[in-house]
Amino acid sequence: MYRILEKEVLAPKIKLIKVDAPEICAGARPGQFVVFRIHEKGERIPLTIADSDPKSGLLTLVFQEVGKSTTELGMLNKGDTIQDMVGPLGTPRDIEKLDYVICVGGGVGVAPIYPEAKAYYRLGTRVVSLIGAQTKEMLIFKNRMEQVSDEIYFSTDDGSFGHKGFITEVLDDLLEKGPHPDEVIAIGPLLMMREASKVTAKYGVKTVVSLNTIMVDGTGMCGSCRVTVDSEVKFSCVEGPAFDGHKVDFDELIARQNRFLAEERLAMDRYLAGAGGCKCQ
Amino acid sequence: MSVKISKEKHEMPKQPADTRIKNFEEVALGYTPELAMAEAARCIQCPKKPCVAGCPVGIDIPEFIKLVAKGDFLGAAKKIKEKNSLPAMCGRVCPQESQCEAVCTLGKRGEPVAIGALERFCADYERIHGEPLAEMKTSDSSSGMVAVVGSGPAGLSCASELAKLGYRVVLFESLHATGGVLRYGIPEFRLPKSIVDKEVEYIKSQGVEIRLNVLVGTTVTVDELFEQGFDAVFLGTGAGLPYFLGIPGENLNGVYSANEFLTRANLMKAYLFPEYDTPIWVGKRVAVIGGGNVAMDSARTALRLGADEVTVVYRRSRTEMPARLEEIENAEEEGIKLMLLRNPVRILEDGEGWVKGMECIKMELGKPDDSGRRRPIPIPDSEFILDVDTVISAVGTNPNPLLIRTISGLALGRRGNVIADEQTGKTNIPGIFAGGDIVTGSATVIAAMGAGKLAAHGIDEYIRRKNGRGM
């Protein structure tokens, strides 16, 4: 059992929890993820680690309530437990001091980009962060990202904060002006990562994306997370989740993300109809 | 004595095919005590006991059968457990027809004694009628402490044997449940999970401590285990990575690896969706690629999940199929079609990212290849399209690299398997042992159990020498 020791609502439907998981925290490195299962009947869900503190043993996870399982996770409060959690999984990002990186985070993807920005910033790399959200209200990790960035830009779809439009437009502007960074790290919705990779390809700037594929075990056993990178099939859970954004077949991946759409809707409807047992009652 | 011995074995009662394809309950129902005693009476107690040599874990088969014939079922179960800690599982999934039963003296003139069915009967009888498991013994760590990695057949048998030898054993499992392939791979209708639970309970009662959700190599490294005081580490992590054919269309929606399909259904109980949260999608017409037990398990699972038509596509002929005969027969009885000497070339898309067919080519058999089986050769211009909307690829697995890539200097074979001594499980690194599919590549449950058991003795010898206690 993994106990939730802190909980914070970051934005509507976006929540942060800190879980007591000292064994996982001890070895966790930026770019890695955990797989958890809330209860006996739950599914195994992967989540990229947003932060880990080996001293306190607290693992920070940030998630958006999109389906039944994440909504159910959002119902848990401080003191509640998650039945199973395994990690850290995936190949950690090899972070070395560079001169300059740009971190592009979209939506809830800002959370997993934070440990990478932090690692670069601490090494003395110049970090410029670009944070996008639908609205000002949905913008998360603003303060945290400001603390690990030399410069920071924001965008919202409705223009309620920062640039009006997509964050990839800000990226395009910055790259056009130059100078070019050694690396762009983009984490967010697949469409955003695809667009960011297209933008950076124009300027020939190395780009790393972190893929949130559908997984079951998360340890290479099932191949559910397979993705085509540079015409080769890779298991995101073993060789990823970070890949060269210029080489990922995003269109295939976007189609693969819809594999269980009908089932996910059914589960959600059933849950909302009360079959899942609402805790408010 | 001149009692005539029936040439035919007593068949185990089974659920009728038309009933069982609508449920996930066990197909074979097991012997009644009367049937078991009648079958046991067929054993002629021949002095050479070829069956014992045919058993990878050396169960004293004639002895336990003699007890069954007398009606001492609990005594028989005890006799089996002297050599095999997991009899209810072995009785169900061991390929007895190529092991103990293959060499049975009766087999020369008729059908061999149904050893597997008898083993299963004894284990089931004990589970229901036997003494409840004793309180967990506190392990004696004075003989030493061993970390067993992976709770599949190799790990379970290694842990059990080490506990019997007096070691403190911690069994690490990366999933949320024990059993490895017994849990995620083999379906409920062939091996009920309650049986896996019970056999694991037995191993726990021997004093083995189980730690779930620990991926050795990342959650804790092997070096850290040694630092924590473990004297030896056994790697039983299996051949977990599914292999794909590398044909166009394999990443389309509606294409599963058998591992994904079966893990969703078995480990995650997706057949009970939406009561359980893990979804599984099966179309109307399913093709399963491969000819092994995993292909049969996938095909039969797809049928139970509601597919109208399931076809197994295999590139060689029936004779070369690696699946157990019993499983092929069960599958055919249930209406699964076998499409032999056919090989997939590509999977076709419906325009929206989903499968709409599979192009195959006809094959013929040439000369035997490295595996000793006749090599399938494509017949030019014989391509045709199979009308399917779901494809399950069951063409084998590779060793799982997650743990072994974290152990520097560990000697690996060409395919990424761990090189270990067959008799002792020793690897090139002192204190690290390995056995099961991680060493041999995909093989059988009992072979992995045999390797785990041998490695336990290899570990025992290693720790004794290390501690200067001799043999």
Side-chain angles (χ1 to χ4, degrees):
Chain A
M1 292 290 210
Y2 298 78
R3 192 168 296 280
I4 296 171
L5 296 184
E6 286 177 41
K7 179 179 175 179
E8 199 182 319
V9 179
L10 300 176
K13 291 192 184 269
I14 300 181
K15 289 170 183 171
L16 173 150
I17 51 173
K18 289 191 181 178
V19 182
D20 184 25
E23 274 196 317
I24 298 173
C25 286
R29 288 158 62 192
Q32 291 189 297
F33 65 96
V34 293
V35 166
F36 64 92
R37 193 176 72 133
I38 303 172
H39 51 67
E40 194 54 40
K41 293 181 177 179
E43 55 185 331
R44 291 174 66 94
I45 312 162
L47 260 186
T48 308
I49 297 168
D51 207 0
S52 59
D53 179 7
K55 276 188 210 137
S56 65
L58 286 183
L59 185 81
T60 305
L61 299 172
V62 174
F63 58 96
Q64 185 162 17
E65 296 172 359
V66 285
K68 190 228 168 183
S69 296
T70 42
T71 304
E72 219 173 359
L73 184 65
M75 298 286 289
L76 298 183
N77 288 312
K78 193 175 154 179
D80 290 341
T81 55
I82 293 168
Q83 185 161 327
D84 302 291
M85 190 177 291
V86 61
L89 302 173
T91 303
R93 285 261 289 127
D94 211 2
I95 293 183
E96 289 172 359
K97 186 188 177 310
L98 298 173
D99 290 333
Y100 170 28
V101 298
I102 296 180
C103 294
V104 189
V108 75
V110 182
I113 217 163
Y114 170 71
E116 308 211 8
K118 185 166 84 173
Y120 276 118
Y121 189 76
R122 285 188 175 170
L123 287 169
T125 301
R126 172 176 163 77
V127 175
V128 172
S129 295
L130 315 184
I131 309 298
Q134 286 172 311
T135 62
K136 186 183 176 188
E137 208 190 4
M138 296 297 282
L139 202 71
I140 63 162
F141 266 42
K142 183 173 171 285
N143 294 342
R144 284 181 177 86
M145 287 303 292
E146 278 168 352
Q147 282 165 20
V148 297
S149 306
D150 293 284
E151 228 174 276
I152 192 161
Y153 298 85
F154 298 95
S155 80
T156 47
D157 297 358
D158 64 353
S160 52
F161 193 75
H163 169 79
K164 180 178 191 301
F166 294 132
I167 197 66
T168 45
E169 294 158 4
V170 181
L171 175 66
D172 204 341
D173 287 350
L174 266 182
L175 293 181
E176 200 182 354
K177 266 189 265 168
H180 287 173
D182 300 299
E183 189 177 278
V184 168
I185 305 118
I187 308 181
L190 284 173
L191 291 172
M192 182 221 107
M193 290 193 282
R194 180 176 69 179
E195 188 54 30
S197 302
K198 274 186 192 161
V199 168
T200 56
K202 272 200 303 196
Y203 302 96
V205 175
K206 184 187 168 194
T207 301
V208 180
V209 294
S210 177
L211 305 178
N212 49 338
T213 50
I214 299 177
M215 296 184 186
V216 185
D217 60 293
T219 60
M221 214 179 73
C222 80
S224 174
C225 65
R226 62 193 188 277
V227 49
T228 303
V229 181
D230 207 10
S231 312
E232 261 185 69
V233 175
K234 306 269 185 195
F235 288 5
S236 178
C237 67
V238 174
E239 295 179 74
F243 290 104
D244 180 341
H246 296 150
K247 293 179 176 164
V248 171
D249 184 342
F250 279 105
D251 295 340
E252 177 187 273
L253 188 58
I254 288 165
R256 284 186 66 73
Q257 289 304 86
N258 294 334
R259 278 189 294 155
F260 298 104
L261 218 53
E263 289 79 9
E264 284 159 14
R265 277 193 197 123
L266 173 70
M268 188 62 183
D269 290 347
R270 197 171 166 269
Y271 181 67
L272 293 178
C278 179
K279 275 194 161 182
C280 321
Q281 289 163 355
Chain B
M1 255 187 25
S2 63
V3 179
K4 190 159 162 47
I5 292 166
S6 152
K7 280 194 178 172
E8 281 158 21
K9 66 178 180 191
H10 296 80
E11 290 294 337
M12 236 193 303
K14 287 198 282 193
Q15 273 198 73
D18 55 349
T19 314
R20 71 185 191 235
I21 58 168
K22 297 190 187 85
N23 66 55
F24 272 82
E25 282 151 40
E26 201 173 8
V27 167
L29 302 171
Y31 280 151
T32 58
E34 295 72 29
L35 273 172
M37 286 173 76
E39 181 61 22
R42 288 181 69 230
C43 174
I44 57 171
Q45 296 288 326
C46 58
K48 278 192 184 167
K49 304 182 175 185
C51 52
V52 180
C55 173
V57 292
I59 296 174
D60 191 342
I61 293 167
E63 208 45 48
F64 99 73
I65 292 182
K66 194 193 279 176
L67 293 164
V68 176
K70 282 188 204 158
D72 181 3
F73 306 136
L74 292 176
K78 201 172 156 200
K79 181 51 76 183
I80 297 170
K81 279 196 169 167
E82 283 175 10
K83 296 284 184 179
N84 179 356
S85 303
L86 309 164
M89 301 202 282
C90 285
R92 286 169 167 83
V93 301
C94 262
Q96 292 97 5
E97 66 280 5
S98 57
Q99 298 178 342
C100 54
E101 293 178 15
V103 291
C104 173
T105 305
L106 280 196
K108 290 176 188 155
R109 298 225 170 157
E111 288 186 324
V113 176
I115 301 168
L118 287 172
E119 180 184 29
R120 170 197 161 123
F121 168 78
C122 295
D124 287 355
Y125 188 90
E126 192 205 29
R127 194 175 60 252
I128 297 157
H129 302 281
E131 294 281 315
L133 290 174
E135 283 292 302
M136 248 186 256
K137 276 190 282 179
T138 319
S139 304
D140 169 17
S141 62
S142 60
S143 340
M145 203 159 83
V146 184
V148 174
V149 185
S151 70
L156 286 174
S157 90
C158 184
S160 169
E161 197 68 13
L162 285 165
K164 279 189 207 163
L165 291 167
Y167 289 94
R168 171 152 185 247
V169 185
V170 180
L171 182 55
F172 294 92
E173 169 57 51
S174 69
L175 288 172
H176 59 257
T178 50
V181 71
L182 304 163
R183 175 89 52 185
Y184 72 75
I186 302 177
E188 180 76 17
F189 56 81
R190 204 148 74 78
L191 177 63
K193 301 310 149 215
S194 58
I195 298 216
V196 180
D197 291 339
K198 195 72 187 185
E199 303 234 304
V200 171
E201 279 305 310
Y202 171 69
I203 285 172
K204 272 192 192 162
S205 78
Q206 294 179 309
V208 173
E209 182 193 340
I210 294 175
R211 288 193 204 155
L212 301 172
N213 297 316
V214 177
L215 182 65
V216 175
T218 63
T219 313
V220 57
T221 64
V222 168
D223 284 345
E224 285 166 347
L225 290 176
F226 285 122
E227 282 162 25
Q228 287 172 17
F230 286 97
D231 297 285
V233 175
F234 173 77
L235 312 177
T237 50
L241 251 70
Y243 177 78
F244 285 91
L245 289 174
I247 57 175
E250 265 181 324
N251 287 355
L252 288 173
N253 292 352
V255 183
Y256 293 94
S257 74
N259 262 12
E260 178 182 357
F261 189 71
L262 292 173
T263 301
R264 285 182 180 275
N266 301 331
L267 173 71
M268 305 310 297
K269 296 193 161 61
Y271 65 92
L272 298 173
F273 179 87
E275 194 201 332
Y276 279 71
D277 291 337
T278 303
I280 195 162
W281 180 87
V282 174
K284 292 290 167 210
R285 290 170 310 280
V286 180
V288 178
I289 310 169
N293 288 321
V294 176
M296 297 304 133
D297 286 344
S298 303
R300 297 170 70 195
T301 299
L303 198 68
R304 284 163 174 76
L305 285 169
D308 290 341
E309 199 176 285
V310 183
T311 309
V312 171
V313 179
Y314 180 54
R315 63 193 181 133
R316 304 183 206 237
S317 76
R318 202 182 174 100
T319 335
E320 289 84 21
M321 282 179 81
R324 293 184 66 190
L325 185 62
E326 184 188 328
E327 300 310 327
I328 300 173
E329 284 172 0
N330 276 333
E332 285 194 302
E333 263 177 40
E334 290 170 11
I336 308 274
K337 288 192 194 161
L338 298 187
M339 192 174 260
L340 303 167
L341 290 165
R342 301 288 184 274
N343 205 28
V345 183
R346 64 188 173 113
I347 301 166
L348 309 171
E349 198 204 331
D350 71 350
E352 287 172 27
W354 292 80
V355 175
K356 77 153 187 197
M358 185 165 82
E359 186 177 313
C360 302
I361 189 164
K362 294 183 182 170
M363 311 289 277
E364 59 187 354
L365 293 180
K367 295 204 172 106
D369 63 13
D370 315 342
S371 74
R373 294 176 300 176
R374 293 178 64 194
R375 183 193 298 275
I377 302 164
I379 302 172
D381 302 321
S382 66
E383 289 90 348
F384 65 98
I385 287 169
L386 194 63
D387 178 20
V388 292
D389 53 16
T390 308
V391 175
I392 302 168
S393 175
V395 292
T397 50
N398 290 321
N400 194 326
L402 275 186
L403 164 58
I404 55 185
R405 74 182 181 186
T406 66
I407 306 172
S408 61
L410 184 66
L412 301 181
R414 232 169 0 111
R415 289 165 300 124
N417 53 305
V418 175
I419 297 176
D421 182 77
E422 260 182 51
Q423 290 308 309
T424 61
K426 266 186 201 158
T427 68
N428 65 318
I429 299 178
I432 300 183
F433 295 74
D437 283 4
I438 191 69
V439 173
T440 58
S442 307
T444 59
V445 167
I446 189 72
M449 283 182 50
K453 193 170 166 180
L454 285 174
H457 291 278
I459 290 168
D460 179 40
E461 191 195 321
Y462 166 80
I463 295 177
R464 281 168 182 275
R465 279 186 203 280
K466 192 179 80 150
N467 296 347
R469 279 183 286 138
M471 288 305 290

